[in-house]
Each structure stands twice: as C-alpha cells, then as structure tokens.
Amino acid sequence: MNVTKIRKDFPVLNREVNGRPLVYFDNAATSQTPTQVINTIVDYYENYNANIHRGVHALSQEATDAYEGARQKIQKHFNAAHPYEVIFTSGTTHAINIISSGYAELLKEGDELIVSALEHHSNIVPWQMLCQKTGALLKVIPMNEDGVLIMDAYDELLSDRTKLVFVNHVSNALGTVNPIEEIINKAHAVGAEVLIDGAQASPHIKADVQALNVDYYVTSAHKICGPTGIGVLYGKEAALNRLPPYQGGGEMIAEVTFEKTTYADLPHKFEAGTPNIAGGIAFGAALDYVNAIGMENIAKYEAELLTYATLALKQIPGLKVYGVAPEKTAVISFNVEGIHPYDIGSILDKLGIAVRTGHHCAQPIMDFYKIPGTVRASFSFYNTFQEIDAMVDAVKKAVQMLQ
Ligand code: 7TS
C-alpha cells in the first residue's frame, strides 16, 4: 500500500490545526473523504441534479441510474442476493430504528430480545423503546475485563422466547471484533433473527451477508470514506417483507386512495420521500475507492498501526488500555492514572491531534470499567507511523503537564 500516494487523495490531511499538521485519529467517529468521492457529489449537483424515479426527462433518468447503480455496488460489496434487499437509510441509527419500530408488530409481552454489553447507544435505546411499547424483555450478553463477550452466558440467555438478537460486529469504544458467526448460528438454532450493527466493522472488514446468513446488517457510509447522512439497511427479502413500512409518504406506495393504500415492493417500501441522492451515489463511489485499495490490504496495514501504537503507548507509566481482545480493529481506548481523559484530549488538540474523549456513546462499557470515559485514538489506512509517534510524544507531554 502506497500511503504517501493515498494521502494525496484526502485534501483535509494537508491542513494545520493550531499551527501544527493535522493528525486525524478520530476515524471511528467519522472517516475523511477522498477527492474521488467529493467529486462525485460535485458532479451530481453540477450536471444532473434531479429527483429520481419521477421524471421522464433526461436528468431524472441519469440521477435514477446513478442512484440505482450505487445500490448495486453496495449489493455487490456486501454480497447481498438482490439489489432490492439493500435499503438506503440516513445511517446506522435510522436503519436500526426501521427494524425496531417494525418489530413492534411482531412481538408480544414476554418475548425476549438479546443485546450485548458492548453496544453503541444507537443499538440499545431503540430496543428499550420497543420493549416499553410491547412488554418484551431485553437481556444482555455480558463482557469480561478484556472487553470480550462471555459466550457461555449467551448460550444461557437463548431460548424459544428469544425473537431477535442485535450485536455490533465491532465495538466502537474498544475495537473488539465479536464472534458474529457463532452469535448468528446460535440465534437461528432457537428460531430468532439477528441484526448486526456493522458501523465500525465496515471500514476494516468486508462482511458477506449471505455467507454470514445474517438477517439484517446495517452501516453508515461516513465510516467508510463516504458522506454523512447516508447508510444502508441490508435485510433478507423474507425478513424485510415481514415488516411494516417505517414512514408513510411518496415513493413507498403502490396505490393510494382515501379508503386504502397499498405499499410498494422492496426496496421502495422503506424509502419514503426524496432520499439523499448525491449521498447514495457518493456511497457507491466510496466503496469503489476502498475496494480499489483492497479491504485486505487496508486491514493488514491498520493492524500494523494498531500493534505499533499499542506497544508505544504502553511504555507510558500509568497508562491503561481498555479492550485487549485477541481480535481487534485499529482502535485504542486508554486512560492515564489520575488524569481525566478530556484533559489529555484537549492538550492533544492544541498539538493538532484529533482524538475522541468521553463515553463514546457506550456508557454501559464505561460503567463496567467504573470510569467516566476514555481517550480513543482510532486509525485509518491513510494514517502513518510518524503520526503515531507524534501522538505518543503528545500524550507524554500531556502527562508531564497534568500530573
Ligand atoms: N453503531 C456503532 C457501532 C457506531 O460506532 C456508531 C457511531 C453508530 C452505531 C451510529 O452511527 P450513525 O452513523 O447512525 O451515527 N459511532 C460513533 C463513534 O464511535 N463516535 O462517533 C460516532
């Protein structure tokens, strides 16, 4: 992988912050956008901005073709069986809410849902709202000190009362890669469906939804070099057909009278209103971009960055890394004894280094470790070993100033 060449595709990486070259280590929150993807958005608005599916005119047809072309790129990337199993959403959160709200019609009191201890709030809160509405019960697969799910406990939670299991593929706060194949197979053995939140996995791992035999897989484009405000809900055809629409409106109908409305087929049933057309097209371009580099090459290089950074940070006295699962993506969550994570983050920012501090929308994980939050450095394929050196030096400086 030619990282020097790749970095030229990301204009933002040239800028300075507080008089220093930007070191962007907040990739788990959102990734940066390459020129190739930015140009796709500009091209759409400059040359063929039109609403899709609606016009006989040329611009509308071009926009429709580009948008549907992007759907096919997403289908191919995740190996979905059909393009209509790919539903465009505004992101992971929206995708999860489509399923959680639809499930209200499928559940009865006493049914059980299983979540994991390692989730982002967007894979917790919608389900709690669903439980309040239906009387279903939410059970939690616990984690251990390493940030790994305790699978024996999962076995015990599963029963014929279990209707749906929802777990992230990769934890945003710790980087743990969860054993989703085992989770899916065991859930299916008791007749439950499975939703996998792939928001943190997608930048590093190409999921094959048919090989996984997963019922729903969701992610956001902005984690994979795409724009914000666009994401995807993959669902098996039969699973999606079982669910009611999420929103009513234009584009999602077959026929409307004041007496009765019938709904459109997949994917339109779940795509009411004018979508984020430019965003969808750019999502396709982002997948083209990462696939041209190669997801395996990306994963291999990021693993090297992770090992290098972990070893260097651990030399700092009093520094503790949270989440030491044997299989991890390039995320390091850490604290230094006696120092609040926000203070380290602020000093790093003064030195041009962007990390996230806080609970990372995963408060139950912070509660487990009895900490207010962590400093989280998350790496991408356009980061370098020199940038890691700069961060390690900056953390040392921060510790000197704060201790
Ligand atoms: N699920 C996981 C595992 C996530 O990491 C995130 C966002 C979401 C869901 C929500 O995605 P959205 O695109 O709908 O907002 N995670 C983070 C993060 O770690 N820092 O900022 C956002």
Side-chain angles (χ1 to χ4, degrees):
M1 251 180 56
N2 186 342
V3 179
T4 312
K5 184 164 167 277
I6 285 171
R7 286 177 70 82
K8 295 204 174 90
D9 293 335
F10 292 84
V12 77
L13 298 179
N14 289 322
R15 68 163 284 182
E16 294 193 341
V17 170
N18 295 322
R20 309 263 185 148
L22 166 69
V23 172
Y24 187 77
F25 284 165
D26 196 17
N27 294 287
T30 200
S31 56
Q32 294 302 340
T33 321
T35 307
Q36 290 85 336
V37 174
I38 297 169
N39 287 348
T40 316
I41 299 168
V42 173
D43 181 40
Y44 168 78
Y45 283 111
E46 284 188 350
N47 295 308
Y48 61 103
N49 178 22
N51 214 327
I52 52 171
H53 307 302
R54 287 184 187 144
V56 285
H57 62 85
L59 265 58
S60 173
Q61 196 51 54
E62 285 174 29
T64 304
D65 289 349
Y67 193 66
E68 292 307 321
R71 195 191 304 276
Q72 284 172 13
K73 287 178 187 179
I74 297 166
Q75 176 206 354
K76 194 162 160 248
H77 183 85
F78 292 103
N79 193 30
H82 307 286
Y84 52 78
E85 291 178 323
V86 170
I87 313 294
F88 279 114
T89 66
S90 69
T92 303
T93 304
H94 176 200
I96 292 171
N97 276 276
I98 291 175
I99 306 303
S100 65
S101 100
Y103 246 78
E105 291 196 7
L106 304 181
L107 295 181
K108 57 182 190 314
E109 204 171 332
D111 282 344
E112 292 181 3
L113 308 174
I114 298 180
V115 67
S116 98
L118 281 172
E119 301 305 310
H120 186 280
H121 295 164
S122 67
N123 202 23
I124 301 174
V125 182
W127 307 109
Q128 287 173 326
M129 292 160 74
L130 173 64
C131 287
Q132 273 170 9
K133 222 182 271 174
T134 59
L137 300 169
L138 191 60
K139 307 269 170 171
V140 185
I141 311 169
M143 62 186 264
N144 68 19
E145 210 40 53
D146 289 349
V148 172
L149 293 180
I150 302 172
M151 293 301 283
D152 289 349
Y154 177 53
D155 291 340
E156 280 170 28
L157 292 177
L158 284 164
S159 75
D160 57 6
R161 291 184 300 280
T162 312
K163 299 299 171 217
L164 186 67
V165 177
F166 27 93
V167 174
N168 57 32
H169 193 165
V170 169
S171 153
N172 73 313
L174 305 181
T176 309
V177 180
N178 287 316
I180 59 165
E181 279 182 88
E182 184 182 346
I183 289 170
I184 293 164
N185 291 338
K186 286 182 168 169
H188 286 168
V190 298
E193 286 193 324
V194 181
L195 177 146
I196 298 294
D197 170 355
Q200 291 295 334
S202 298
H204 319 285
I205 303 166
K206 194 186 249 193
D208 178 331
V209 292
Q210 289 190 80
L212 286 168
N213 194 20
V214 67
D215 302 286
Y216 311 101
Y217 195 94
V218 299
T219 193
S220 299
H222 70 92
K223 309 277 190 197
I224 334 169
C225 299
T228 52
I230 187 83
V232 66
L233 158 62
Y234 158 80
K236 281 182 188 167
E237 181 177 4
L240 290 173
N241 277 333
R242 217 158 66 99
L243 294 173
Y246 177 62
Q247 288 184 313
E251 285 295 304
M252 52 75 72
I253 54 89
E255 218 174 301
V256 178
T257 67
F258 279 109
E259 286 69 44
K260 185 173 161 31
T261 290
T262 51
Y263 304 128
D265 290 334
L266 296 175
H268 307 295
K269 178 174 131 182
F270 293 105
E271 294 182 347
T274 301
N276 179 354
I277 303 167
I281 296 167
F283 189 178
L287 294 180
D288 285 345
Y289 182 82
V290 292
N291 282 321
I293 297 171
M295 293 302 293
E296 297 79 14
N297 296 331
I298 286 174
K300 188 165 165 285
Y301 177 68
E302 288 174 347
E304 288 166 17
L305 290 175
L306 176 69
T307 305
Y308 183 80
T310 306
L311 285 175
L313 282 172
K314 277 170 134 176
Q315 304 303 316
I316 298 172
L319 187 143
K320 177 174 174 177
V321 173
Y322 296 90
V324 291
E327 222 189 313
K328 263 186 77 168
T329 57
V331 170
I332 307 184
S333 251
F334 66 90
N335 275 327
V336 181
E337 210 178 337
I339 304 179
H340 197 279
Y342 179 79
D343 294 335
I344 295 181
S346 301
I347 292 177
L348 262 52
D349 177 55
K350 294 277 177 300
L351 298 169
I353 300 165
V355 292
R356 186 173 175 190
T357 65
H359 56 59
H360 315 297
C361 300
Q363 277 182 353
I365 299 179
M366 303 303 133
D367 291 347
F368 174 87
Y369 289 118
K370 299 189 175 56
I371 52 176
T374 67
V375 181
R376 183 187 69 179
S378 50
F379 310 126
S380 181
F381 57 88
Y382 43 71
N383 291 130
T384 65
F385 295 95
Q386 293 89 320
E387 288 182 312
I388 290 171
D389 291 341
M391 177 186 70
V392 174
D393 283 348
V395 174
K396 285 180 183 160
K397 210 172 271 178
V399 172
Q400 267 174 8
M401 288 168 72
L402 296 164
Q403 259 180 352

